[in-house]
């Protein structure tokens, strides 16, 4: 089911100051995709999610779920959360401690007066889906964090909603379990024909799970795109910096060359992607991620996008070296193969792949 | 669900009246000559109260009594908490019993039982020791300051234990381990690391015991007054209980200094407990501390703990029951057992005033706790779920009465009630009880509210449940344990209430504790003991009944499939 949001605005007052949690958000969330709202804390992503569910009321704007208008400030429409037919997994899981697993999962069906046989069937199916079959009579308080998370998922899915929402559901798990659950969640969600809206501040989670990512900042959506677009060729400096580690180099566009441009930077001329078509003569920013800065053999010293610099620091972190290279005033972070034979202080040559460094307007 | 601002305002008015009315009336009363000339400003009562030549001695007694009790209670609590959390002593369930069960025995009965054991003329224990060692004089005299301190200290031990034990078990053991790695012995570690780190909890417990013993009336009246040792609370009582010459103005003037001392101490207590959060490092790693192997010290220590719990729980009930069966005090002997009968019981159950006091106390316990709990539910809801300036005011208001000594509040309320038609009625007692013991209801219920994370309600809404269905299936079932324990606490407090009642109770509105005090003053120990056992029985029954009920109600949700 598609979700459309128009001009959604939500203000808070905190210590006499007005804070815009949502600042005129326009957004269409396509049906049956995993759609992630990503952003730093306080950017409004959770507020947006809670407005969609109906736990918070916006100040202005409209929300459509499918063809139903569930919120409109102008027409005075507010459909309460219980009538929106959504499923949701909370950050705390919100498993009711006074019920067992069965009652927790059966709850959405009990509220809709489903016959008991049907409830039993549906609950069994949902629990099987999240691989918790046989846990029906376990008290909710006797579940591990990962199990609680699955019960919450089973409860959100049991009534077969068309839309399911997740509010940072993995942030309470430890690192290893988080990684496993992320994979499982991805396979669960691709198996179902369901629209999933997922809120997180964790960029790796967003990249790994999503079909589409919307990056938010200060109550606004800055950029929407699939994970590769966002990572490799973002349109926005903030997004580029937020989604992964990035070296940002200042300079000016010198010459256009099809998709690419020649960029006069503080460390020299660089050929880079220019998908935003920044015109010649304009100041811009070049973004290159550490993993795309490669060591170049010495004999290629004269080629395109090759620079020489000094290895300023080198830290071995197992799967790679994390290094800092100084070129003039500029310091670039890079990851280097753990097998390379270099030490701090060496003069080295590096190259940027023109397709993996991109220009951003400043 | 509610119009939130109006609910908060209404509650502020109700709770504000309950807590501030007696204080304001006390203040105004202290500047008045008597009930009739209320409002005509005079300082004569202050002059009278504080130029009294006895006053310095009373103040000194009060200081010795409160500080001494704090010392006894805190040291014992420290010992018990340490032994419980840090050593491999057997039968640890005993500590739970020590911490909870004494609350079931009303303070006045506990004090009486010690009088029966250790009074110099015919105390059972004294007589036994005299016979045993062929002494001419009694070995102990309970009617002394040390006697009062011992009994009050034992009475306040559970409170001190409940503050110190959690701090002791939340203590980050690595602090101790690092001391041992540095080469310090167990004892040195205890003295140099454990105790200093626990200092805020120890101080907090000592201060709370001082506040409690300052407000205490049972021990000073049953043990202190016969020995002519007066402290502030009995000094106030003396001024209002002397028949037609009752001087409520002077009582109010004296009460002001008790109130001021109590509020100051509670302020320090709150400061310390908020500080202690920074001090005691709570380890989240969940490591159990390695228990110290007691080896040979195990059995002597166990005997000490055993004697302590015997003295705290079994002995008082035993002595009371024994006394209730005898026509007059005598040492356990064949003759004593042959003279045992139910006469005292029969007399008490035929005594119209005892029966009236039983009826009144039951009424106050059940009705008072029900009203008090209901009020506490609303107050807790506002304090926990509506976070605003107004709810902050309500919170401070509702915990204020915690620091008010009961007898002082009683005097304050007296100044108010004599101006209303409810003077001398059970309603007056009911209002006074609820005002004084509101924090006991609010604390368990508000912590039950805190436990209900807003997500638990919200997820019910998203699951398709309306607000009322959510209330019925999520909020109420989760609240019930808190409500039940709030109700039990209030009901058992009301059933045994003494300090407020000695001021407010009038002919016709006698309550159990006051009737027991009258029996004690008249030396009717047999009747007293019979009524006392009935009182303990009812309050224990209440606790058990309410616990069973609460258990059933919480389980219902699970079974309800």
């Amino acid at each position: 089911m598609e979700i459309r949001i128009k001009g959604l605005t939500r203000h808070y007052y905190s210590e006499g100051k007005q804070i815009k949690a949502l600042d005129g958000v326009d957004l269409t969330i396509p049906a049956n995709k995993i759609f992630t709202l990503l952003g730093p804390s306080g950017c409004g992503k959770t507020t947006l999610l809670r407005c969609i569910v109906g736990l918070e009321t916006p100040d202005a704007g409209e929300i459509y779920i499918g063809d139903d208008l569930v919120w409109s400030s102008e027409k005075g429409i507010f459909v309460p959360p219980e009538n929106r037919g959504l499923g949701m997994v909370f950050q705390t899981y919100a498993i009711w401690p006074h019920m067992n697993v069965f009652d927790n999962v059966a709850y959405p069906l009990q509220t809709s007066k489903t016959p008991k046989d049907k409830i039993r069937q549906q609950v069994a199916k949902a629990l099987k889906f999240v691989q918790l079959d046989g846990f029906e009579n376990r008290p909710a308080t006797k579940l591990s964090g990962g199990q609680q998370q699955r019960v919450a998922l089973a409860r959100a899915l049991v009534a077969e909603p068309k839309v399911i929402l997740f509010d940072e559901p993995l942030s309470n798990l430890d690192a290893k379990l988080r990684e496993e659950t992320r994979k499982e969640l991805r396979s669960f969600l691709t198996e179902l024909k369901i629209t999933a809206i997922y809120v997180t501040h964790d960029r790796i989670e967003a990249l790994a799970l999503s079909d589409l990512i919307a990056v938010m900042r200060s109550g606004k959506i800055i950029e929407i795109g699939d994970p590769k677009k966002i990572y490799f060729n973002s349109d926005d400096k903030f997004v580029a910096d937020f989604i992964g580690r990035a070296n940002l180099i200042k300079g000016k566009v010198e010459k256009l060359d099809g998709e690419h441009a020649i960029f006069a930077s503080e460390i020299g001329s660089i050929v880079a992607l220019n998908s935003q078509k920044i015109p010649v003569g304009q100041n811009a920013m070049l973004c290159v991620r550490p993993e795309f800065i490669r060591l170049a053999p010495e004999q290629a010293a004269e080629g395109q996008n090759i620079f020489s610099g000094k290895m300023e620091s080198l830290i071995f972190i197992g799967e790679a070296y994390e290094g800092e290279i100084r070129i003039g005033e500029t310091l670039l972070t890079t990851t280097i193969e753990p097998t390379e034979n270099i030490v701090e202080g060496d003069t080295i040559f590096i190259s940027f792949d023109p397709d993996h460094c991109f220009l951003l307007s400043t | 669900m509610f119009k939130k601002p109006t609910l908060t305002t209404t509650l502020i008015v109700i709770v504000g009246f309950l807590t501030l009315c007696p204080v304001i009336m006390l203040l105004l009363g202290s500047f008045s000559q008597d009930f009739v000339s209320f409002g005509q400003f005079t300082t004569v009562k202050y002059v009278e109260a504080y130029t009294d030549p006895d006053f310095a001695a009373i103040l000194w007694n009060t200081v010795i009594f409160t500080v001494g009790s704090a010392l006894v209670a805190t040291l014992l609590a420290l010992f018990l908490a340490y032994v419980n959390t840090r050593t491999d002593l057997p039968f640890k369930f005993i500590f739970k019993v020590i911490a909870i069960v004494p609350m079931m025995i009303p303070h006045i009965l506990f004090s009486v039982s010690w009088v029966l054991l250790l009074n110099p003329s015919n105390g059972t224990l004294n007589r036994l020791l005299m016979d045993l060692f062929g002494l001419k004089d009694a070995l102990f005299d309970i009617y002394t300051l040390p006697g009062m301190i011992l009994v009050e200290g034992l009475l306040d031990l559970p409170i001190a234990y409940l503050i110190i034990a959690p701090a002791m078990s939340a203590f980050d053991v690595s602090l101790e381990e690092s001391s041992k790695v540095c080469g310090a012995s167990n004892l040195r570690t205890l003295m140099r690391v454990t105790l200093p780190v626990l200092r805020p909890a120890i101080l907090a417990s000592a201060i709370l015991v001082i506040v409690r013993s300052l407000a205490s009336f049972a021990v000073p009246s049953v043990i202190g007054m016969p020995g002519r040792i007066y402290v502030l609370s009995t000094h106030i009582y003396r001024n209002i209980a002397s028949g037609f010459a009752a001087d409520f103005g002077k009582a109010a003037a004296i009460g002001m200094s008790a109130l001021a001392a109590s509020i100051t101490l509670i302020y320090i207590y709150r400061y310390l407990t908020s500080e202690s959060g920074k001090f005691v490092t709570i380890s989240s790693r969940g490591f159990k501390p390695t228990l110290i192997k007691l080896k040979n010290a195990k059995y002597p220590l166990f005997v000490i703990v055993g004697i302590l719990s015997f003295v705290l729980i079994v002995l008082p009930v035993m002595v009371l029951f024994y006394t209730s069966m005898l026509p007059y005090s005598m040492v356990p002997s064949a003759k004593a057992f042959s003279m045992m009968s139910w006469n005292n019981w029969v007399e008490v159950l035929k005594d119209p005033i005892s029966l009236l006091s039983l009826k009144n106390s039951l009424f106050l316990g059940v009705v008072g706790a029900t009203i008090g709990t209901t009020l506490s539910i609303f107050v807790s809801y506002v304090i926990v779920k509506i976070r605003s300036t107004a709810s902050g005011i309500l919170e401070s208001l509702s915990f204020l009465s915690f620091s008010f000594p009961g007898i002082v509040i009683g005097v304050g309320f007296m100044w108010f009630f004599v101006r209303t038609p409810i003077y001398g009625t059970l309603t007056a007692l009911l209002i006074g009880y609820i005002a004084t013991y509101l924090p006991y209801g609010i604390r368990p219920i508000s912590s039950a509210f805190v436990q209900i994370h807003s997500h638990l309600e919200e997820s019910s809404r998203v699951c398709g449940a309306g607000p009322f269905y959510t209330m019925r299936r999520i909020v109420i079932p989760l609240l019930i344990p808190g409500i039940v324990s709030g109700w039990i606490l209030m009901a058992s407090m009301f059933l045994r209430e003494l300090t407020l009642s000695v001021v407010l109770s009038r002919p016709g509105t006698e309550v159990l504790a006051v009737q027991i005090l009258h029996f004690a003053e008249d030396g009717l120990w047999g009747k007293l003991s019979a009524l006392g056992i009935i009182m303990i029985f009812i309050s224990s029954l209440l606790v058990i009944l309410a616990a069973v009920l609460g258990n059933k109600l919480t389980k219902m949700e699970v079974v309800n499939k």
Side-chain angles (χ1 to χ4, degrees), chain B residues 66-327:
Chain B
T66 52
V67 174
S69 313
L71 222 60
V72 171
T74 306
L75 285 178
L76 276 176
L78 208 55
F79 164 73
L80 287 176
Y82 188 81
V83 171
N84 182 19
T85 48
R86 288 302 149 76
T87 69
D88 60 346
L89 200 76
F91 303 112
K92 282 202 172 158
F93 70 91
I94 244 179
F95 291 96
K96 261 193 180 158
V97 178
I98 290 182
I100 293 159
V101 172
M103 293 189 178
M104 288 192 201
I105 303 171
H107 288 190
I108 186 158
L109 293 174
F110 191 80
S111 315
V112 165
S113 71
W114 281 91
V115 167
L116 293 173
L117 281 170
L118 290 181
N119 80 69
S121 51
N122 59 5
T124 314
L125 201 61
N126 268 334
R127 295 290 291 274
L128 271 177
L129 291 172
M130 281 158 77
D131 292 351
L132 208 62
F133 300 110
L135 301 169
K136 273 193 201 132
D137 294 316
L139 209 51
F140 300 103
D141 181 2
I142 192 75
Y143 298 130
T144 55
L145 257 178
M148 289 169 70
I149 288 170
L150 172 78
V151 178
E152 183 67 34
L154 287 177
L155 275 177
D156 293 332
L157 171 59
I159 297 288
Y161 183 79
L162 288 179
I163 294 174
I164 290 176
M168 192 82 94
S169 58
F171 186 84
D172 186 350
V173 195
S174 62
L175 294 177
E176 282 184 348
E177 286 165 353
S178 60
S179 158
K180 282 181 203 161
V181 171
C182 291
S185 63
N186 274 344
L187 187 68
R188 194 177 165 78
T189 304
L190 177 69
M191 302 308 286
R192 293 292 301 275
V193 178
T194 316
L195 292 180
V197 173
L198 289 174
R199 200 178 61 208
I202 294 170
L203 275 176
S205 128
I207 288 175
L208 203 60
V209 175
I210 291 181
V211 172
R212 302 266 303 197
S213 50
L214 182 68
S216 163
F217 182 70
V219 174
S221 64
V222 173
I223 301 174
M225 288 203 304
R228 304 201 167 278
I229 299 162
Y230 284 89
V231 293
L232 275 179
S233 61
T234 36
H235 186 50
I236 294 171
Y237 177 70
R238 177 160 64 165
N239 274 292
I240 55 172
S242 44
F244 51 89
D247 190 344
F248 276 88
K250 194 173 164 196
I254 303 163
M256 286 307 291
S257 57
L259 187 66
S262 188
I263 290 175
T264 313
L265 286 167
I266 285 288
Y267 183 79
I268 297 172
Y269 167 77
R270 291 191 88 141
Y271 172 77
L272 280 174
T273 41
S274 65
E275 282 288 286
S276 69
K278 293 175 217 155
F279 221 122
V280 175
T281 43
I282 291 170
S283 157
S284 57
R285 292 164 299 162
F287 284 141
K288 283 255 170 189
T290 42
L291 297 178
I292 296 167
K293 292 247 177 333
L294 285 174
K295 293 174 207 139
N296 292 334
K298 198 182 220 166
Y299 295 99
L301 266 181
F302 181 71
V303 169
I304 296 177
V305 173
I307 288 176
L308 216 80
S309 43
F310 176 78
V311 156
L312 277 171
I313 302 151
V314 186
L315 198 61
V317 180
M318 246 171 58
V319 171
L320 286 175
F321 190 72
Y322 174 74
T323 311
S324 78
M325 302 300 284
L326 291 173

Side-chain angles (χ1 to χ4, degrees), chain A residues 56-71:
Chain A
E56 239 168 270
T57 48
D59 297 317
E62 287 186 339
I63 302 172
Y64 287 90
I65 295 176
D67 295 326
D68 301 330
L69 182 59
V70 296
W71 164 261

Side-chain angles (χ1 to χ4, degrees), chain A residues 50 53 55 80-82 86 88 90 92 94-100 102-103 107-108 110-111 116 137 155, chain B residues 451 453 455-467 469-470 473-474 477-478 554 557-558 560-561:
Chain A
R50 288 169 62 85
V53 193
L55 293 171
E82 59 267 30
L86 307 171
M88 178 162 171
F90 287 76
T92 56
I95 300 299
W96 298 304
H98 59 300
M99 299 180 186
N100 60 14
F102 178 91
D103 276 328
Y107 193 91
Q110 290 164 348
T111 57
K116 288 206 169 171
N137 292 320
R155 182 175 67 190
Chain B
Q451 190 214 340
H453 194 285
H455 282 175
L456 294 177
E457 289 166 72
E458 286 174 359
S459 67
S460 163
R461 298 293 299 276
V462 178
C463 285
Y469 194 83
T470 304
R473 289 216 43 202
I474 308 293
L478 288 173
T554 27
E557 182 55 43
V558 182
N560 182 22
K561 277 200 289 235

Side-chain angles (χ1 to χ4, degrees), chain A residues 25 59 75 82 98 122 152 156 178 182-183 201 205 229 283 306 313 324 331 334:
Chain A
V25 172
D59 297 317
K75 295 171 194 151
E82 59 267 30
H98 59 300
Q122 294 273 89
R178 195 182 314 155
R182 195 171 66 212
K183 273 188 217 149
H201 66 269
E205 226 168 276
K229 160 80 170 75
N283 285 329
I306 292 181
S313 74
E324 281 179 318
L331 205 56
T334 174

